[in-house]
Amino acid sequence: MLVLEDGRTFRGEAYGAVGTTVGEAVFATGMTGYQETFTDPSYHRQVVVMTAPHIGNTGINAEDRESGQVWVAGVVVRDPALRPSNWRSQGDLEDGLRRAGVVGISGVDTRAITLHLRDRGAMRAGIFSGEAARASHEELLRTVTGSPVMTGAALAAEVTTEHPYVVSPPEGTPTRFTVAALDLGIKGRTPALLAARGVRVHVLPSTSTFEEVLATEPDGVFFSNGPGDPATAEHEVELLRRVLDARLPFFGICFGNQLLGRALGLGTYKLPFGHRGINQPVLDRSTGRVEVTSHNHGFAIAWPEGLATDQPAATPYGPVSCSHVALNDDVVEGLRCHDVPAFSVQYHPEAAAGPHDAEYLFDRFVAMMEDTSAQA
């Protein structure tokens, strides 16, 4: 049984592990990439409703994981595959969720749930199966409403790496630059794409100090995607300000974009139902091109009130432009600083899953490090 915070209930079949789970109910619109979604640390403490009706068709494998574990709190699907059918498949999705202890539900009207969340906004939810589902509706609803909300949640420390590690360029690719990457919930494909461009990536815990960042002798600094409310990330924001003060080239993705905004003095706010999926149109204002992009964010940057997003905003670090904008709802999807070497995007240029329209941003980061190095 799926119980939403506002009392609406959906009955279905147990899927994955049997038991109880609670989290923020959100919907993801991708028709593919469920394994990447479920292993993305940004989905920590979220119950993910998959809008595509058929899930599990291609099974799971060891290559498509974006981290070492399944991070979603729960999974909601309409019509799970009876058996996987793909030459790359190494196992069944439901078996994988069961081994990971992830409680899910199938056989529910995911279209109705999605429309409800779109109209009412993301909300807390619980999935109950087995003995847990025998409790009264009132008791189940109390469990849901007693669970934590996402606003004010500091989650980076729960998903970050415990120890630093290094991702080096593949054999035959010369090392050109070194980047210190703060792991706020980083996906595996991100350092891999940097490494493919000749960048040695030092992945650091979210609690790292500026001195620990400098100890890697970085040519640039990267802040990753991650879960939670950016307003809680005071340590990370202060660290980023020191990076900007040192004029180290900076690139941020998703949570990293929100933290750049806060470091510059901009605010952040919670979106009604967020952007999640692999088909979100974004305009790159520097080129006029529209990119189809991968998203997973429930918070966004608040542009200064009364100022159009096509006008630069004044900050303590000089002007900053809204470099990218979401075409569905005009949400700020990227920042470009004019006076310091820093930029960021709200979406996921590393995709995983999703289109590769925005991979050029990794080249832009490398070019920024080249320019800064040439000026030194």
Side-chain angles (χ1 to χ4, degrees):
M1 183 184 300
L2 173 68
V3 179
L4 300 180
E5 179 181 346
D6 62 1
R8 188 160 183 188
T9 301
F10 297 84
R11 295 183 179 274
E13 302 292 328
Y15 184 68
V18 173
T20 298
T21 190
V22 292
E24 182 186 45
V26 299
F27 60 88
T29 60
M31 295 185 68
T32 62
Y34 54 81
Q35 185 176 355
E36 292 93 328
T37 295
F38 298 160
T39 56
D40 179 353
S42 294
Y43 280 104
H44 178 44
R45 266 183 38 185
Q46 291 183 323
V47 174
V48 180
V49 181
M50 303 299 292
T51 62
H54 300 293
I55 298 296
N57 306 45
T58 56
I60 57 176
N61 61 62
E63 297 177 13
D64 292 343
R65 295 179 299 184
E66 283 303 307
S67 67
Q69 69 179 81
V70 177
W71 281 104
V72 293
V75 173
V76 181
V77 301
R78 178 175 179 176
D79 188 11
L82 297 178
R83 64 181 65 85
S85 178
N86 186 271
W87 67 275
R88 298 176 65 240
S89 176
Q90 297 172 341
D92 177 75
L93 173 60
E94 183 176 15
D95 289 342
L97 293 174
R98 191 178 295 119
R99 288 193 301 271
V102 176
V103 177
I105 186 172
S106 66
V108 291
D109 188 345
T110 51
R111 176 176 290 183
I113 299 169
T114 298
L115 291 174
H116 189 75
L117 295 176
R118 186 197 65 184
D119 294 341
R120 304 290 183 89
M123 63 183 71
R124 290 170 292 179
I127 302 175
F128 307 90
S129 57
E131 287 298 318
R134 298 181 185 276
S136 67
H137 180 268
E138 291 75 17
E139 186 176 346
L140 299 180
L141 185 57
R142 280 196 298 271
T143 299
V144 173
T145 56
S147 63
V149 297
M150 192 59 69
T151 300
L155 302 181
E158 298 181 13
V159 300
T160 191
T161 181
E162 290 187 24
H163 306 288
Y165 62 93
V166 177
V167 179
S168 298
E171 186 176 353
T173 301
T175 299
R176 302 171 59 199
F177 298 106
T178 297
V179 163
L182 200 70
D183 177 8
L184 306 168
I186 199 167
K187 294 163 67 178
R189 182 168 164 81
T190 303
L193 286 175
L194 286 169
R197 288 160 169 79
V199 177
R200 176 182 288 111
V201 184
H202 290 258
V203 182
L204 305 177
S206 64
T207 54
S208 297
T209 65
F210 184 62
E211 289 70 27
E212 289 169 331
V213 169
L214 290 183
T216 67
E217 299 182 354
D219 299 293
V221 176
F222 172 81
F223 274 25
S224 79
N225 60 288
D229 185 345
T232 65
E234 296 179 1
H235 164 75
E236 293 87 345
V237 168
E238 184 55 37
L239 171 60
L240 180 46
R241 287 183 177 138
R242 296 194 66 180
V243 169
L244 298 176
D245 289 337
R247 300 189 64 84
L248 285 167
F250 173 81
F251 177 31
I253 286 176
C254 194
F255 201 60
N257 174 69
Q258 296 161 13
L259 297 190
L260 176 59
R262 296 191 70 86
L264 295 171
L266 302 176
T268 50
Y269 66 100
K270 196 173 191 306
L271 293 165
F273 50 82
H275 297 176
R276 295 174 182 88
I278 59 177
N279 54 358
Q280 304 279 343
V282 168
L283 173 66
D284 181 346
R285 283 187 162 144
S286 68
T287 64
R289 293 182 58 189
V290 174
E291 305 162 7
V292 180
T293 58
S294 177
H295 287 228
N296 173 20
H297 65 104
F299 292 85
I301 289 173
W303 204 244
E305 188 174 355
L307 185 67
T309 57
D310 61 356
Q311 298 296 316
T315 81
Y317 293 92
V320 60
S321 292
C322 169
S323 59
H324 297 73
V325 64
L327 295 182
N328 286 336
D329 54 10
D330 295 325
V331 165
V332 174
E333 290 289 339
L335 298 174
R336 180 181 63 84
C337 294
H338 294 208
D339 294 347
V340 291
F343 74 103
S344 59
V345 289
Q346 183 59 67
Y347 54 94
H348 290 263
E350 81 285 358
H356 298 170
D357 294 28
E359 272 193 21
Y360 69 90
L361 291 166
F362 293 98
D363 299 316
R364 186 175 291 180
F365 185 35
V366 170
M368 177 181 285
M369 290 188 286
E370 288 176 340
D371 291 344
T372 302
S373 177
Q375 295 169 11

